[in-house]
Amino acid sequence: ELRPDNASWQLLLGTALAAAKTHEQAVAVFGRAAELDPKLADAHYRQGLSFLALKRRDEALAAFRRAVAADLHHDAALFSLASHLMEDGDAQGVAAACDEVFARDPGNCRMVSWKIAALTELGRRDDAMKLLDFDHFVRPVEVAVPEGYADIAAFNAALVKEVTTHPSLVFEKSGHATRHGGHTGDLLIDPGSAVAALEKIIRQAVADYDMALDCAPDHPLRAAKPDHWRLQSWAVVMDTKGHQLPHIHPAAWISGVYYPKIPVSETPPRNPHAGWIEFGRPQDNMHTKAEPIVRLYEPKEGLMFLFPSYLYHMTIPNETGEQRISIAFDVVDSRQARKAIY
């Protein structure tokens, strides 16, 4: 009442109304917020959610499009627009939405993942493979022993100790793709000596990856490269049955994972690929029907993988009684504020 022309307060009011399930009122308030500030992408996006609650699907899709137009990096709006088009069986519409975003942001990570899904649904698997291209874009790296460590086993043991005693390690953290496991926060904020040594190795691996990258200048992977980048890194500690659901890292350019501890089963696992990493399988709520193009890789202690952040990846459940520990990382634009770890 005191500040009726403040878009941010209108957005807060609309959010409260939507939470109270008074969506008719919420739609009007979100519309008012968007009128006051057309670039307030969250107002358009949340109006779209309220339209969906009212079963006004066409208006919801239009609102999601306005949100994307206002902010090409509003990840929830991008996902909502594409997923509802795909749910309607409109893979061609998804591809078109991707191209509209690429016209302004050719390396948009979220929409590259959707373009792969759309092309696969349309039967254009060769075109999808140009974006997946596991042979060239998924790069395994055998890590050399850093200075100060007797061998790779000693280095890995030091990493495991730093990770498992890290004060930020939390198990079953909500909002993460990990199941039956835990996550740390950013290990590079105040790194231990082993993590600091790994950071140097990662930086060199990223530089080598960039130098070896063989794709056209307009390829999304090349287009997405930030002028200046920094690293974020976190550890994943998986217990028995630990696994990760399919996910991408939409705020990053290149992602990767290093394995300091891979448990070995005394008996053959029921699934011969237990604990392996799989690339290419989209998450369930993308509503895809076509068989995805996937590739499996076996993790080993001392091995690192680098890959485009737009590649969906998952971990097959760990079947052993020991913990499986990995250290993941993202290459992100150095101008971005630090965000929550995936």
Side-chain angles (χ1 to χ4, degrees):
E1 290 176 353
L2 293 173
R3 302 179 68 182
D5 294 330
N6 185 287
S8 296
W9 282 103
Q10 293 290 333
L11 176 61
L12 288 170
L13 175 58
T15 303
L17 291 168
K21 301 188 185 305
T22 53
H23 291 289
E24 288 283 4
Q25 290 176 272
V27 161
V29 173
F30 286 134
R32 174 62 177 159
E35 287 176 6
L36 292 168
D37 184 359
K39 294 297 183 181
L40 189 60
D42 217 32
H44 300 290
Y45 167 67
R46 292 181 182 278
Q47 186 183 49
L49 295 180
S50 284
F51 276 134
L52 283 179
L54 296 169
K55 302 188 185 308
R56 293 158 63 177
R57 195 175 185 84
D58 290 345
E59 290 168 285
L61 288 174
F64 293 146
R65 290 184 187 278
R66 291 193 296 272
V68 170
D71 181 1
L72 291 173
H73 298 283
H74 194 294
D75 195 60
L78 290 167
F79 191 90
S80 293
L81 173 61
S83 64
H84 285 95
L85 287 171
M86 191 70 84
E87 188 176 18
D88 292 341
D90 188 6
Q92 189 61 57
V94 175
C98 292
D99 291 339
E100 289 175 11
V101 172
F102 294 154
R104 294 170 55 198
D105 184 15
N108 188 288
C109 184
R110 174 61 71 186
M111 297 313 267
V112 176
S113 69
W114 272 110
K115 188 65 179 285
I116 293 169
L119 292 171
T120 306
E121 290 294 300
L122 293 168
R124 296 169 55 186
R125 297 174 78 85
D126 289 344
D127 290 330
M129 272 303 300
K130 294 176 183 177
L131 297 172
L132 293 167
D133 201 353
F134 304 119
D135 291 333
H136 292 98
F137 295 160
V138 178
R139 181 186 177 98
V141 177
E142 292 280 356
V143 169
V145 182
E147 185 178 351
Y149 297 90
D151 52 30
I152 199 69
F155 177 53
N156 286 336
L159 284 171
V160 167
K161 183 177 180 180
E162 289 184 11
V163 164
T164 55
T165 59
H166 200 275
S168 68
L169 179 61
V170 177
F171 281 79
E172 296 295 339
K173 192 173 183 179
S174 63
H176 288 256
T178 302
R179 300 294 182 269
H180 300 285
H183 272 248
T184 69
D186 193 340
L187 297 172
L188 303 181
I189 292 177
D190 185 19
S193 57
V195 168
L198 181 62
E199 180 182 5
K200 292 180 181 179
I201 293 169
I202 292 171
R203 288 185 176 279
Q204 185 59 55
V206 172
D208 293 343
Y209 185 100
D210 186 24
M211 288 291 292
L213 195 57
D214 183 18
C215 58
D218 61 347
H219 190 285
L221 183 55
R222 180 61 76 187
K225 179 186 174 182
D227 293 331
H228 303 282
W229 56 267
R230 61 179 175 81
L231 290 174
Q232 288 182 317
S233 181
W234 62 100
V236 179
V237 180
M238 291 184 182
D239 294 326
T240 303
K241 299 182 181 179
H243 62 284
Q244 286 194 312
L245 303 175
H247 64 287
I248 65 170
H249 299 184
W253 170 51
I254 298 296
S255 297
V257 59
Y258 175 72
Y259 300 100
K261 183 179 180 182
I262 297 295
V264 178
S265 177
E266 295 181 358
T267 59
R270 289 170 295 177
N271 184 341
H273 296 131
W276 287 32
I277 185 170
E278 180 188 271
F279 293 95
R281 187 178 305 279
Q283 61 191 76
D284 289 343
N285 61 349
M286 289 176 72
H287 307 293
T288 55
K289 297 178 181 178
E291 184 65 26
I293 305 168
V294 302
R295 181 77 63 86
L296 283 150
Y297 293 84
E298 181 180 9
K300 297 179 181 178
E301 291 183 4
L303 184 64
M304 178 187 295
F305 290 104
L306 290 88
F307 52 89
S309 301
Y310 64 68
L311 276 188
Y312 266 94
H313 53 287
M314 60 176 285
T315 306
I316 309 300
N318 169 35
E319 293 184 8
T320 73
E322 296 182 37
Q323 288 183 327
R324 175 189 184 278
I325 298 176
S326 60
I327 298 176
F329 57 89
D330 275 344
V331 178
V332 300
D333 193 322
S334 60
R335 294 170 298 181
Q336 293 179 355
R338 286 190 177 271
K339 297 181 180 180
I341 298 300
Y342 300 96

